[in-house]
Amino acid sequence: MPRLTADFYLREDTLAVARELLGKILVTHFDGQRTAGVITEVEAYRAPEDRACHAYGNRRTPRTEVMFRPGGCAYIYLCYGLHHLFNVVSGPEGMAHAVLIRAVEPIEGRDIMCQRRKYAAWENLLPKQKIALTTGPGALAQALGFHARQSGQSLTDPHSPMWIEDQGMHLAETDIARGPRIGVDYAGECAQWEWRFWIKHSPFAR
DNA sequence: CAAACGATCGGCT
DNA sequence: GCCGATCGTTTGC
């Protein structure tokens, strides 16, 4: 299956990019280990106006510099000293827009994901454990093997070990739910913006 | 140079 | 529900 190309990521409408990432397939291929999952939950972040965005007010720091690159690369950072959160940079160069991937449904390399998460083998997991394996941004990033040192890597370069595919899953507007973003209470009125989207009936989304 | 702070998770009550 | 873990980034002195 072909990777999504730069034109998908370069669009300025961050909310459209976020919604359209639902149902796409996030794939990693690190050290010969291939894992993939259907994207089921996302959040949009968008400088300069969004207080919850690390690049709020278009402030550039060494960490957030990659958010200003042309859309189509990864922004991965360490959160709470423990979790590596994976984002897709979008928008044209100079606009710090990104979509946080919050959950996926595993479809390939399930046992590799289990190893990385220190879970038992997939087929021995309880239904609740299968869901916990890749639901939540820290959990899915660990399962797919993401690390902050990979921040800035391309999703569109044919040789890059991380990418997103369209395998033809179609979602109607009525299949998509939206609500406020999680964990951004510090962001004033931006915290109420409904910039979080998920596949309505997926068990792999809150 | 010191200190505060997270776009979270999992275990325990 | 609550709380502790844990550390790079950022900011302020």
Side-chain angles (χ1 to χ4, degrees):
Chain A
M1 278 287 173
R3 303 172 182 228
L4 294 184
T5 51
D7 54 309
F8 178 90
Y9 301 104
L10 287 169
R11 291 173 294 157
E12 287 199 40
D13 187 344
T14 318
L15 301 189
V17 173
R19 277 192 299 263
E20 290 171 35
L21 281 170
L22 294 174
K24 301 292 192 295
I25 314 300
L26 176 59
V27 189
T28 63
H29 193 167
F30 300 133
D31 303 316
Q33 306 205 102
R34 186 172 160 128
T35 51
V38 180
I39 297 171
T40 54
E41 182 181 345
V42 297
E43 282 175 359
Y45 289 84
R46 192 183 152 95
E49 71 274 20
D50 174 15
R51 246 197 149 76
C53 179
H54 291 159
Y56 172 59
N58 284 336
R59 78 182 193 284
R60 289 173 183 257
T61 67
R63 181 180 62 158
T64 61
E65 191 62 30
V66 304
M67 293 183 80
F68 291 88
R69 294 191 193 171
C73 66
Y75 170 50
I76 308 172
Y77 71 96
L78 183 65
C79 184
Y80 295 106
L82 295 164
H83 309 289
H84 298 266
L85 304 201
F86 172 77
N87 300 253
V88 175
V89 172
S90 68
E93 184 169 15
M95 317 213 76
H97 302 169
V99 178
L100 171 68
I101 309 301
R102 292 191 54 88
V104 303
E105 175 168 353
I107 52 173
E108 189 177 347
R110 295 188 183 97
D111 285 319
I112 297 166
M113 297 187 195
C114 289
Q115 282 178 5
R116 290 179 177 145
R117 298 270 288 131
K118 305 195 192 308
Y119 276 48
W122 172 264
E123 62 176 51
N124 295 328
L125 297 182
L126 302 169
K128 278 188 174 179
Q129 294 176 308
K130 288 182 177 175
I131 289 166
L133 184 68
T134 55
T135 299
L140 115 255
Q142 184 181 24
L144 294 209
F146 288 116
H147 192 283
R149 65 176 158 261
Q150 301 154 336
S151 193
Q153 282 208 24
S154 173
L155 302 173
T156 57
D157 185 315
H159 300 293
S160 163
M162 55 178 81
W163 66 93
I164 299 174
E165 301 178 359
D166 187 348
Q167 292 190 5
M169 179 180 293
H170 175 75
L171 294 172
E173 282 296 312
T174 51
D175 296 325
I176 298 175
R178 72 184 291 175
R181 294 171 295 179
I182 305 285
V184 297
D185 297 339
Y186 59 88
E189 68 169 27
C190 305
Q192 300 168 37
W193 297 351
E194 297 196 323
W195 283 13
R196 173 170 160 257
F197 302 91
W198 66 95
I199 298 179
K200 208 178 274 181
H201 298 114
S202 173
F204 294 86
R206 311 278 168 87

